[in-house]
């Protein structure tokens, strides 16, 4: 058994490389986690070691007790994951109380899981409950154009959602629930984890002002595709603003018509003129 050849590991590694090539992960920026399926964990447990100590998560995630997560390491560079996955990734186990974790595989050259682990686990906590366990991936990246917009647009869910929707017709279909915005906060701690988790109760996209974006999805393709769509829409908006702003756009009624044809529900709060 070679853990690096398992399909979940290959999918994880591919996503890190794709996201780096997009320019979303400068230096050691961004992080990424995957809630493993029970059968995936069982298949690779021969590679696990249970010698490392339990550590406090900083938040309580009871519905994740006993689960295993594949996560990026703190201070590790995404560009290096494809070269040496075992040195840059780790698998962590959550204890029976949902308050502690321990590393059972990876980080062969030392280190600890991403500093954003509390936020990742709070997001997984919320999404596991709301999706009946369907969502398994949380991706955090420093998407250039989304960050740029947080300096010029009001930091309001309604504003960001409507502006992004208007930039590309597919957007209200890809993220019909909209996007949420967290005002600037110190990253890595309990407070920003809780604030992000609150947004994840409504959205699959949470924007951190002047910092980056979190996306949640069922699998690697869905989550990467969601972030790619949001960032492309943001890029279009940056270009539109640089050209003097909109002269015509998609109207609220256009969105309502789109919702009927594509069978999605668009919250009316985003359709106010």
């Amino acid at each position: 058994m070679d853990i690096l050849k398992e399909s979940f590991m290959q999918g994880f590694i591919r996503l890190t490389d794709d996201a780096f090539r997009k320019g979303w992960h400068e230096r050691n920026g961004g992080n990424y986690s995957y809630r493993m399926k029970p059968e995936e964990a069982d298949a690779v447990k021969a590679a696990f070691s249970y010698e490392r100590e339990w550590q406090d998560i900083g938040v309580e995630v009871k519905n994740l007790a006993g689960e295993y997560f594949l996560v990026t390491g703190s201070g590790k560079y995404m560009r290096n994951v494809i070269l040496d996955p075992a040195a840059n990734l780790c698998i962590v186990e959550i204890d029976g109380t949902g308050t502690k974790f321990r590393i059972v595989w990876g980080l062969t050259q030392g280190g600890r899981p991403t500093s954003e682990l509390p936020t990742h686990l709070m997001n997984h906590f919320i999404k596991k409950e709301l999706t009946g366990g369907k969502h398994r991936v949380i991706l955090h990246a420093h998407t250039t154009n989304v960050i740029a917009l947080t300096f010029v647009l009001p930091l309001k869910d309604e504003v960001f959602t409507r502006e992004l929707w208007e930039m590309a017709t597919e957007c209200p279909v890809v993220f019909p629930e909209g996007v949420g915005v967290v005002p600037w906060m110190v990253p890595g701690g309990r407070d920003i984890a809780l604030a992000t988790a609150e947004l994840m109760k409504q959205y699959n996209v949470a924007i951190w002002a002047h910092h980056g974006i979190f996306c949640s999805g069922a699998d690697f393709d869905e989550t990467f595709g969601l972030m790619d769509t949001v960032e492309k829409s943001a890029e279009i908006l940056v270009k539109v603003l640089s050209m003097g702003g909109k002269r015509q756009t998609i109207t609220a009624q256009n969105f309502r018509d789109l919702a009927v044809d594509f069978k999605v529900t668009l919250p009316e709060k985003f359709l106010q003129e």
Side-chain angles (χ1 to χ4, degrees):
M1 185 276 297
D2 183 351
I3 190 171
L4 298 181
K5 292 182 179 179
E6 294 293 314
S7 60
F8 74 88
M9 182 69 74
Q10 288 294 305
F12 193 99
I13 293 169
R14 179 193 174 198
L15 192 154
T16 61
D17 192 52
D18 286 347
F20 168 72
R21 291 173 185 275
K22 281 285 188 179
W24 300 344
H25 295 286
E26 77 294 336
R27 199 172 180 271
N28 63 316
N31 32 72
Y32 173 29
S33 64
Y34 170 65
R35 183 169 61 85
M36 296 170 62
K37 298 176 181 177
E39 60 270 24
E40 292 169 337
D42 289 341
V44 298
K45 279 186 178 177
F48 292 175
S49 168
Y50 296 94
E51 297 174 355
R52 284 183 260 196
E53 295 182 356
W54 291 102
Q55 302 177 57
D56 289 330
I57 298 171
V59 294
E60 185 175 311
V61 286
K62 284 187 176 180
N63 73 346
L64 303 179
E67 297 235 36
Y68 291 88
F69 291 83
L70 177 58
V71 302
T72 49
S74 179
K76 304 299 183 181
Y77 291 27
M78 286 283 194
R79 69 187 298 266
N80 291 334
V81 169
I82 197 169
L83 301 177
D84 191 348
N88 294 282
L89 306 177
C90 64
I91 293 175
V92 301
E93 177 190 14
I94 309 302
D95 79 342
T97 69
T99 62
K100 297 180 184 294
F101 74 90
R102 65 179 172 186
I103 299 170
V104 297
W105 176 88
L107 294 179
T108 54
Q109 297 175 17
R112 57 179 289 116
T114 169
S115 61
E116 305 291 357
L117 186 64
T119 298
H120 277 262
L121 292 179
M122 282 299 298
N123 288 345
H124 281 291
F125 173 85
I126 294 296
K127 287 304 183 182
K128 180 181 179 182
E129 183 175 297
L130 291 180
T131 69
K134 181 181 177 182
H135 276 210
R136 291 186 173 274
V137 180
I138 300 291
L139 176 61
H140 169 53
H142 299 166
T143 43
T144 306
N145 293 284
V146 169
I147 295 171
L149 291 176
T150 67
F151 289 93
V152 297
L153 295 182
L155 301 177
K156 296 181 179 180
D157 302 359
E158 292 82 1
V159 173
F160 266 81
T161 296
R162 182 62 179 270
E163 292 288 353
L164 292 172
W165 277 0
E166 289 184 20
M167 292 304 103
T169 299
E170 69 173 331
C171 287
V173 179
V174 174
F175 50 100
E177 68 284 337
V179 303
V181 184
V182 177
W184 190 89
M185 301 175 70
V186 176
R190 175 183 174 83
D191 290 344
I192 198 167
L194 294 175
T196 308
E198 279 301 308
L199 289 182
M200 284 292 179
K201 293 178 181 178
Q202 304 175 62
Y203 312 114
N204 293 323
V205 178
I207 295 169
W208 282 6
H210 324 317
H211 184 143
I213 184 173
F214 270 85
C215 288
S216 173
D219 55 35
F220 302 126
D221 286 344
E222 180 180 291
T223 311
F224 180 86
L226 174 59
M227 184 171 289
D228 202 14
T229 303
V230 172
E231 172 61 3
K232 183 174 184 178
S233 181
E235 181 183 0
I236 296 169
L237 181 54
V238 167
K239 291 178 178 179
V240 169
L241 293 174
S242 72
M243 292 187 291
K246 292 175 282 188
R247 289 180 171 79
Q248 55 272 330
T249 189
I250 304 171
T251 68
Q253 189 55 49
N254 291 155
F255 283 127
R256 294 185 184 100
D257 295 340
L258 183 75
V260 173
D261 280 7
F262 281 84
K263 297 179 174 57
V264 294
T265 300
L266 303 180
E268 193 64 28
K269 68 179 180 178
F270 299 133
L271 301 178
Q272 302 304 309
E273 296 290 3

